Amino acid sequence: MKAAVVTAFDVAPVYTEFPEPVATGPHDIVVDVVAAGLHPRVRSQADGSHYTSTDELPLVPGVDGVGRDPDGRLRYFVLDGTVSGSMAERTVVDARRSVVLPDGVGGPDPVAVAAAMNPAMSSWVALRRRIGFRAGQDVLVLGATGNAGRTAVQVARRLGAGRIVAAGRNADLLAGLPALGATATTTLDAGGLGAAAADVDVVLDYVWGEPTAAAMAAVVTARADRSRPLTWVEIGSVAGPTAAIGSAALRAARLEIVGSGQGSVPTGDIVAELAALAGEIGTGTFAVDAAAVPLSDVERAWGKSVHTGRRIVMTP
């Protein structure tokens, strides 16, 4: 079969032949892939930088997607630790890590589902499964101009957040976030961030690195009541894998830092949210900006900017 194949971590995948996947487990099924999102998580899988990487090559990237099962049903699926990913004509899916989608007229667009589920899941699962989020709490989305961050603004609104402060670097993209649910926007400079987000209850952080260290100090310093609980959820690390957090941030405020991702959230909890989230995407709750690209053009698609807010979806 044809697939996008990674043979070295420092070059883009190439469209070439790859062995047919084989169902070996009692719950495994082979699906015909309909759509697979090119997420930042997939890029880090393909360059070997993700914390789950095993350095095994060659591999087919792709961590989720929409496929048609042997019974002809559309399924959204999530893969786990495989070198035979979703950017191929076919892949093996554990049926327990998938959800059947309505098909035909009125059913969700497979491209939209493949584009939106991964970025939406990061904030949806964080708020519903990783922390005890309550409707009415105020949320700061750090890195809100990225695809996942833009979706996080919408997820926070859907789950009943009070104030939603969106922070990012791209002024043009920030300007569009009030239409998606943000009640305030700010750049990542310490002064503006401290003033806008001083008294939030939850931070959804897609940035990490040096910007997070500065943001954390600014938010904690500006809080009117430092005994008010602040939960900082680390989800992404586009600015770097490490952050030099000052000890004063932890001692001077009631601050809790947690991570949300593979390992920190049980697989069963993630799977339990798939149907509800797919339903929200299918009914148009979240704005989805997706561009379908033939899998045969994977090398060209790989080089496209990842900062436009548009999610590329590969279609075999």
Side-chain angles (χ1 to χ4, degrees):
M1 70 171 181
K2 293 291 188 180
V5 181
V6 176
T7 57
F9 288 126
D10 58 350
V11 296
V14 296
Y15 182 70
T16 188
E17 291 289 335
F18 196 78
E20 287 281 350
V22 178
T24 57
H27 302 284
D28 286 352
I29 54 175
V30 176
V31 300
D32 293 321
V33 179
V34 176
L38 177 49
H39 317 300
R41 167 68 177 84
V42 175
R43 292 179 183 274
S44 64
Q45 173 195 29
D47 66 20
S49 65
H50 195 264
Y51 66 87
T52 63
S53 176
T54 63
D55 294 334
E56 186 177 354
L57 291 173
L59 68 82
V60 174
V63 297
D64 70 340
V66 176
R68 194 168 295 280
D69 68 18
D71 295 323
R73 299 174 298 183
L74 280 180
R75 288 179 180 265
Y76 170 76
F77 58 85
V78 179
L79 301 177
D80 181 31
T82 177
V83 297
S84 182
S86 56
M87 291 191 173
E89 292 178 319
R90 285 168 292 282
T91 194
V92 174
V93 172
D94 183 333
R96 298 168 300 177
R97 296 170 60 89
S98 70
V99 59
V100 176
L101 302 174
D103 202 354
V105 178
D109 175 9
V111 170
V113 172
M117 282 290 284
N118 178 272
M121 202 182 311
S122 66
S123 52
W124 182 276
V125 169
L127 292 176
R128 285 180 56 86
R129 294 284 178 166
R130 186 66 178 93
I131 65 173
F133 178 74
R134 302 183 307 277
Q137 289 188 305
D138 297 335
V139 175
L140 165 64
V141 180
L142 200 64
T145 53
N147 193 287
R150 285 164 52 87
T151 307
V153 169
Q154 300 174 74
V155 167
R157 178 188 62 183
R158 173 65 183 85
L159 296 181
R163 289 194 309 128
I164 303 171
V165 182
R169 296 190 185 280
N170 188 315
D172 292 336
L173 291 177
L174 277 175
L177 292 179
L180 300 180
T183 57
T185 62
T186 180
T187 59
L188 293 179
D189 70 277
L193 191 59
D199 297 316
V200 299
D201 303 292
V202 175
V203 179
L204 299 176
D205 184 359
Y206 290 90
V207 178
W208 205 239
E210 183 179 339
T212 283
M216 194 176 292
V219 170
V220 166
T221 301
R223 289 176 82 74
D225 179 5
R226 295 190 186 180
S227 67
R228 178 177 175 175
L230 171 61
T231 303
W232 201 288
V233 189
E234 200 285 313
I235 301 175
S237 53
V238 296
T242 60
I245 305 301
S247 62
L250 297 172
R251 299 201 310 269
R254 193 174 171 185
L255 171 65
E256 179 184 23
I257 304 173
V258 303
S260 183
Q262 287 176 264
S264 61
V265 180
T267 299
D269 285 2
I270 296 174
V271 172
E273 296 294 336
L274 295 182
L277 184 53
E280 297 284 355
I281 293 169
T283 56
T285 299
F286 309 125
V288 179
D289 188 4
V293 176
L295 184 61
S296 57
D297 288 342
V298 64
E299 288 183 79
R300 177 179 61 84
W302 211 263
K304 284 185 173 292
S305 170
V306 296
H307 302 293
T308 63
R310 169 164 277 200
R311 183 58 51 101
I312 295 171
V313 176
M314 308 309 301
T315 55

